[in-house]
Amino acid sequence: MKKLILLLFVMSAVISCTTSNKSTSEIVEDRLYVTRRYIGEFEDYRHTAPGRFGDPHLIWIKTTQDTTFGKVSAYSRECEFNPGDRLYLRRKYVTPGIYGYWIYQIENDSSVFYRISEYQNDRKVLVQSWY
């Protein structure tokens, strides 16, 4: 009986240590989604009032990587970022009902964040293209 248990233990150890011939291709479900991207350090901002009734207030945020991303437009009247704050673009998947969608926001290392517009008028690009 002891020899049988020992034999089963040894066989299970040998089987678990053998290499498999499975392909090492990436499984679709295991892909890493980038949800936060560094876009520079905060330098300055300016506020744009709505052009007509019902339009949102926008702030245009200038970063040290302005040549890459342009000025980032966000929905707000004021900007609480401090000069030198590291800013990130975050993408969140929201599911309010059955279907979901991505929202984009700009944030610093602490708790300050603003939702940004999906179409960046400065560079005439969609935010989705930055990912």
Side-chain angles (χ1 to χ4, degrees), residues 14-130:
V14 169
I15 291 171
S16 67
C17 293
T18 60
T19 60
S20 68
N21 291 331
K22 291 183 181 179
S23 70
T24 59
S25 64
E26 181 179 307
I27 299 172
V28 176
E29 292 85 12
D30 290 343
R31 276 189 288 183
L32 176 67
Y33 288 102
V34 175
T35 59
R36 191 173 189 211
R37 182 170 184 174
Y38 175 72
I39 59 171
E41 293 180 8
F42 177 74
E43 288 185 345
D44 194 17
Y45 83 98
R46 69 179 168 87
H47 172 260
T48 302
R52 54 185 181 192
F53 182 75
D55 287 348
H57 287 266
L58 289 176
I59 54 174
W60 296 85
I61 300 170
K62 183 178 179 183
T63 66
T64 54
Q65 294 189 4
D66 191 31
T67 56
T68 305
F69 297 102
K71 292 177 178 59
V72 179
S73 59
Y75 301 115
S76 182
R77 290 180 189 217
E78 299 289 325
C79 183
E80 295 180 10
F81 294 139
N82 297 316
D85 280 354
R86 294 177 56 87
L87 299 182
Y88 301 93
L89 181 69
R90 180 176 292 274
R91 165 170 83 165
K92 288 185 176 182
Y93 192 71
V94 179
T95 53
I98 298 173
Y99 301 105
Y101 57 91
W102 291 101
I103 62 168
Y104 300 90
Q105 64 187 31
I106 188 169
E107 63 185 18
N108 63 2
D109 287 325
S110 57
S111 62
V112 179
F113 65 92
Y114 301 101
R115 186 168 176 186
I116 65 174
S117 60
E118 291 184 24
Y119 183 74
Q120 296 295 306
N121 291 313
D122 186 37
R123 296 287 172 118
K124 307 228 181 308
V125 298
L126 290 172
V127 176
Q128 300 164 347
S129 66
W130 290 347

